[in-house]
Structures are given as C-alpha cells and as structure tokens.
Amino acid sequence: MHNSRFNCIVILDAIPDGELRTARKLHEDLFDYRNANLQQLGRLEFRHYRIATEDELGDCISSLIAEIQTDRLIPWLHLEAHGLEDKTGFATANGIPVSWEQFNRLITPLNILTNLNLVLVLASCYGAYYIQSLRPTQRSPILALVGPIERVLAGDVVKDFMAFYRHILNNRSFGRAAMAIAETNEGPLYYATNAEEIFLETWKGYRDNHCSNKALKTRALALIQRLRRANPEVVFQIGSIKKMLKEKEPEFFDKYRDVYFLYDIYPSNMARFPITYQMALEYVAH
C-alpha cells in the first residue's frame, strides 16, 4: 500500500456516557507521546470529537471538509463506538444506529479532497465488516482500514491501538503497524486492508454476481426487453447480447476503476494505483 500522507488524527468518540472513556484515554496518550517526541512529531495534531448524535457526526465531518479546503488539513479518522450486532454499522453515544453506507456518504468527500489519503481506524466490535459496504462502482471512501473482526474489550482497545499508533508515528508504515496490532493478540482479532485489495475483492464479488453465465443471461434478457420497447420490429438474439456484454467487461472494469481510484480527478493516481483488468483476472483466478 502507498502510505497515507496525514497531519492530523481525528478521534470520533461515540462511547456511551458511564462507560470506560477509551477514546479520551487514547487521545491523552497520543498527546503525551507527541509532546515527548516534539522534534519528530511536533506538527502532528490530535483531535477528539464527542459523537452523541447523527447531527454531531455530520457537523464534525463538515467542519473537517471546510478545513481541508482552506487549511490543507489531511486527517485520519479513528472511530470508537459500539458496533451493531448485525455488523452493518455502529451506534452513536446516544445509541442511534449509523449504517456503514451512511458513514461512507459522509466520509467519501474527505477522501476525495485529500486525494485518496484517508485511513479509517475502527475501534468497534465487528468493525472489519465495514468492507461489506464498499462497491467497486463507487468512489473509494478510504485508502486503508484496520478494525476488529469480532468483539473487542475496552481494555484491549487502549492497549492495541496505542501499539498501532506508536508504529505509525515511529516509521509511518501502515503495514508494520497492522502487524504490530495483530501481534498483541493470540488470534486474528484484527483485519487490515487497503484500497487496492478492497477494489479487487469487491470486483471479484461483482464479477461473480453479474458476470456468470446465469447472470449474463438475466442481464441480456433485461437489456433485450428495453431494446424491444425502443425498437419493437428488431429481433435481438440472446446469445449475441450475452457476447456483447462479455466483450464489454474490460471496458466496464476500466470505467469503475477510474471512478474508484479517482483517476478522473487526479490523473497521477494512474501511476499510484496501477490496477489493470489482467491483474483483476489473475486475482479472481486465485
């Protein structure tokens, strides 16, 4: 993964009142660590936002967007919250559910404005299931992700993520930091991935669901129905339509890739994320 450029770690605190304030503790520990290493980290900011409601979450993201546009802020996001039991999102401090799809709509502008540099750290039970909300046909909301695969205890959150950030701040390597957080636990409790892996994996799912023989037949029949409404006198052969859809697959891939990796906004990302159709085919084959 191409390591993210960042100058601020934003901690979103959605832990309910009366519980261990892990987000506040992490913020204080990071602040102390920065002060003990001012020569190396003096320009790095740490911020803490209380997220009790959806409106507070929206206001926080809006304020970050405004700063990115005016002050060249390049943030990471660290979310501490209770993950929903169905693994589809998280709850605010007041217990309001927020789906990962809703969250993506809020944070995608951050990733676009920072040219695909937004790293998302999810300190919430089942946070790794966030990836199920991502689609290869949409703008990528993140550059990389790390989050728990299962339940995570409050005490482990403080210990594990401080180990993660120490590695990030010492050597700026997301890969090494992800390994460090995994090594603090006996089992594979955390999952880390990046935009390239996410795109290839979601493309694999898209191809499985939309490009199999059965799916191509369904798509071809739907297309024929639309074509017949426009041209009722023309006879369309399902085999020809299926062949056409199959032949256009590389074209569809390039279109989705260009959108996902922001090629159309930042042409330099073509070299930064050189994902090809052939590479995707090889990934699907394995």
Side-chain angles (χ1 to χ4, degrees):
M1 184 194 89
H2 296 267
N3 288 322
S4 169
R5 295 182 296 108
F6 66 99
N7 56 24
C8 180
I9 294 174
V10 175
I11 299 174
L12 305 177
D13 181 358
I15 299 299
D17 291 334
E19 297 188 15
L20 184 63
R21 300 301 298 274
T22 53
R24 177 67 70 181
K25 171 64 174 169
L26 179 65
H27 179 259
E28 292 171 352
D29 288 350
L30 287 172
F31 192 81
D32 291 343
Y33 189 79
R34 193 276 307 273
N35 288 345
N37 297 272
L38 279 176
Q39 186 172 357
Q40 177 187 1
L41 305 173
R43 294 184 178 181
L44 184 61
E45 286 189 66
F46 299 101
R47 299 189 188 178
H48 174 273
Y49 292 89
R50 186 70 176 145
I51 306 297
T53 66
E54 286 182 279
D55 287 342
E56 288 185 353
L57 176 61
D59 290 344
C60 170
I61 300 301
S62 294
S63 69
L64 293 175
I65 289 172
E67 281 196 71
I68 291 170
Q69 293 172 321
T70 58
D71 297 335
R72 298 185 179 180
L73 182 75
I74 307 176
W76 278 19
L77 290 184
H78 175 106
L79 173 67
E80 299 221 4
H82 287 312
L84 301 180
E85 287 297 324
D86 64 4
K87 305 174 183 177
T88 61
F90 67 96
T92 68
N94 285 359
I96 301 167
V98 177
S99 71
W100 293 130
E101 285 80 6
Q102 290 174 278
F103 192 56
N104 284 340
R105 287 194 289 272
L106 289 173
I107 68 172
T108 297
L110 296 176
N111 199 38
I112 294 173
L113 288 170
T114 59
N115 186 9
L116 228 165
N117 271 286
L118 184 66
V119 170
L120 180 60
V121 181
L122 294 175
S124 63
C125 296
Y126 316 117
Y129 288 86
Y130 165 86
I131 63 171
Q132 294 183 348
S133 69
L134 304 180
R135 303 290 180 268
T137 56
Q138 300 172 350
R139 302 281 191 197
S140 175
I142 59 170
L143 171 65
L145 164 79
V146 62
I149 297 171
E150 48 200 57
R151 287 182 176 275
V152 60
L153 300 177
D156 290 334
V157 165
V158 176
K159 170 177 61 70
D160 295 347
F161 285 103
M162 193 61 203
F164 172 80
Y165 283 114
R166 281 179 181 269
H167 278 263
I168 286 291
L169 300 180
N170 286 337
N171 56 51
R172 294 298 177 108
S173 170
F174 179 84
R176 291 182 184 179
M179 289 177 61
I181 198 171
E183 290 169 357
T184 63
N185 298 276
E186 294 182 0
L189 181 61
Y190 294 94
Y191 175 74
T193 189
N194 57 57
E196 297 101 314
E197 291 178 354
I198 291 170
F199 178 78
L200 291 171
E201 189 62 33
T202 53
W203 170 260
K204 180 178 182 296
Y206 171 86
R207 196 169 184 272
D208 290 344
N209 292 327
H210 296 276
C211 301
S212 65
N213 284 332
K214 182 178 180 180
L216 282 173
K217 182 178 180 180
T218 301
R219 291 168 60 195
L221 288 171
L223 181 55
I224 287 172
Q225 289 179 350
R226 293 200 298 271
L227 292 172
R228 281 176 177 168
R229 285 196 292 269
N231 302 280
E233 297 180 359
V234 179
V235 176
F236 298 96
Q237 300 295 327
I238 189 170
S240 298
I241 298 296
K242 285 177 63 178
K243 181 180 179 182
M244 181 271 293
L245 290 172
K246 186 67 176 176
E247 290 175 346
K248 281 188 168 292
E249 184 177 304
E251 180 182 329
F252 294 149
F253 175 88
D254 287 349
K255 176 184 176 182
Y256 298 149
R257 177 205 58 202
D258 293 359
V259 169
Y260 186 89
F261 290 105
L262 315 182
Y263 283 11
D264 54 327
I265 302 175
Y266 304 102
S268 61
N269 282 357
M270 296 179 188
R272 188 179 171 210
F273 304 100
I275 306 297
T276 65
Y277 178 69
Q278 184 60 39
M279 185 185 301
L281 288 181
E282 293 172 1
Y283 184 89
V284 168
H286 290 88

